[in-house]
Amino acid sequence: MSLTSLEFHERIDPPPVRARASTRFTEAVAAFEAKDYATAAEAFAGANALVSHPNTMINLALALEQLGDLTGAWWVLTEASQRFSDEPRALKLANKELKNLATRTFMLRLQAAPDTLVCIDGVRIPEAAPGEYKMALPPGPHAIRVGPVELAVIGEAGAERVLGFERLEELLVPIERRYVAAMAASAGSLAGLSAGLAIGAVATNASERTRA
């Protein structure tokens, strides 16, 4: 695992700001090499707050990975790939790290009406596109909420889960929590959300698609 260097945009970033960002970046690299990943992550974040730079963001993601914050690393890399999509080298590096991260996480995609309240592990998730919500998560169980519906989802590294809540207004939920096991299944298979794991099975319009 190697860090990327820092190169400023001379015409955009004022010299005093560049100097402060460079100092924070240097501190972050030293901390990372000393395996003080918490300090490195804080310093990289500080440098990026001064001057947003793809290499700083990629290095921040690497530090977060070392801390075990795989979801945080995914968010940073995703933002870098979007913010610097017009810079081929930066986009290539960000996508490379996202690909590596995909082998250690599982991707959860939720489909619901636009502007639906969607939370994963208590954190509200913004829409990636109208009605599309997604997040890379560590393997294991996670709590999700889509509008009034609460579920627990379990996923494996390298897999992808897609849950559909497009007709959420038609769901009848007499109890607040139902559990869904989203373990590995054949690619492209379709299955109904299992309400049989709850007390008093209830038919729903939610659907699940599993891709490993």
Side-chain angles (χ1 to χ4, degrees), residues 54 80-82 84-96:
S81 67
Q82 295 172 348
F84 302 102
S85 60
D86 59 342
E87 299 186 24
R89 180 175 176 274
L91 184 60
K92 182 178 179 179
L93 286 172
N95 286 338
K96 178 183 176 182

Side-chain angles (χ1 to χ4, degrees), residues 35-64:
K35 298 185 178 181
D36 183 355
Y37 300 117
T39 298
E42 181 181 359
F44 279 131
N48 196 66
L50 291 166
V51 178
S52 185
H53 194 284
N55 291 355
T56 306
M57 297 183 75
I58 291 168
N59 291 342
L60 170 58
L62 293 176
L64 291 173

